[in-house]
């Protein structure tokens, strides 16, 4: 999908002012409300915009421990293990990966003992061979997309 300069301006506003109305976005951008809505619909349809809900803090929800758990899976069981991971509420993301291991998960926990319990649950899943965990100490760069959107916008404009 081609993202043009107006699209990047729209995306930037969505990231910077997520609770603003479509009418106000149109006013800020100097475009018709219908134009803006059509662009938003296309960006959603094309998968550029994937959600509109709030961003939640696991730490504020009582799960301040963050770990990245690599999972090695018995050959031929990747889909089964992936499906089973969806049933573990402390897993907030899981990806198939290359390199060391087959899956990389982002796991949150109440404390280190709870993290150990979650890891033991993962190890007991059918098809899991072993796990390797890395505990995050401090977030250095929070999840962000605005610098990427700005870079795409500069490329589209220039």
């Amino acid at each position: 999908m081609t993202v043009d300069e107006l699209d990047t301006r729209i995306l930037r506003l969505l990231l910077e002012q997520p609770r603003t109305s479509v009418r106000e976005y149109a006013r800020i951008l100097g475009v018709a409300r219908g134009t803006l809505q059509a662009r938003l619909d296309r960006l959603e349809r094309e998968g550029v915009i994937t959600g509109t809900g709030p961003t939640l803090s696991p730490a504020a929800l009582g799960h301040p421990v963050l770990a990245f758990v690599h999972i090695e899976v018995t050959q031929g069981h990747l889909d089964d293990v992936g499906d089973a991971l969806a049933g573990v509420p402390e897993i907030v993301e899981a990806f198939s990966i290359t390199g060391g291991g087959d899956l990389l998960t982002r796991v949150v926990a109440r404390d280190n003992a709870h993290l150990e319990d979650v890891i033991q649950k993962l190890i007991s899943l059918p098809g899991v061979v072993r796990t390797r965990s890395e505990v995050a100490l401090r977030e250095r760069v929070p999840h962000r997309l605005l610098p990427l959107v700005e870079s795409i916008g500069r490329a589209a404009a220039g």
Side-chain angles (χ1 to χ4, degrees):
M1 169 184 174
T2 303
V3 176
D4 65 16
E5 188 177 2
L6 178 57
D7 291 332
T8 60
R9 290 174 53 214
I10 292 168
L11 294 171
R12 181 181 186 146
L13 268 178
L14 288 172
L15 291 169
E16 290 178 336
Q17 301 176 34
R19 297 179 65 129
T20 302
S21 70
V22 172
R23 176 175 288 158
E24 182 62 12
Y25 287 143
R27 187 194 65 72
I28 291 168
L29 294 168
V31 299
R33 185 184 180 287
T35 299
L36 178 63
Q37 189 62 60
R39 292 290 186 117
L40 289 171
D41 291 345
R42 182 178 57 85
L43 290 167
E44 286 182 18
R45 191 174 52 254
E46 297 288 336
V48 174
I49 298 173
T50 59
T52 58
T55 302
L56 305 178
S57 166
L61 291 169
H63 288 68
V65 176
L66 170 63
F68 298 94
V69 180
H70 298 258
I71 302 173
E72 187 176 321
V73 177
T74 303
Q75 204 165 25
H77 288 87
L78 189 61
D79 289 339
D80 297 333
V81 173
D83 292 344
L85 294 178
V88 180
E90 296 85 358
I91 294 179
V92 294
E93 287 183 299
F95 301 91
S96 301
I97 60 169
T98 63
D102 300 300
L103 294 164
L104 175 64
T105 63
R106 191 165 70 123
V107 177
V108 295
R110 293 183 302 273
D111 53 34
N112 287 344
H114 181 219
L115 176 61
E116 181 181 10
D117 293 342
V118 173
I119 292 168
Q120 290 301 318
K121 186 185 303 184
L122 298 179
I123 291 171
S124 71
L125 293 174
V128 172
V129 175
R130 71 178 51 85
T131 65
R132 180 174 56 85
S133 305
E134 298 160 347
V135 175
L137 301 176
R138 181 180 299 160
E139 183 178 66
R140 298 294 180 166
V141 177
H143 179 77
R144 66 201 181 124
L145 291 174
L146 186 56
L148 177 63
V149 168
E150 289 174 337
S151 173
I152 292 167
R154 285 191 300 273

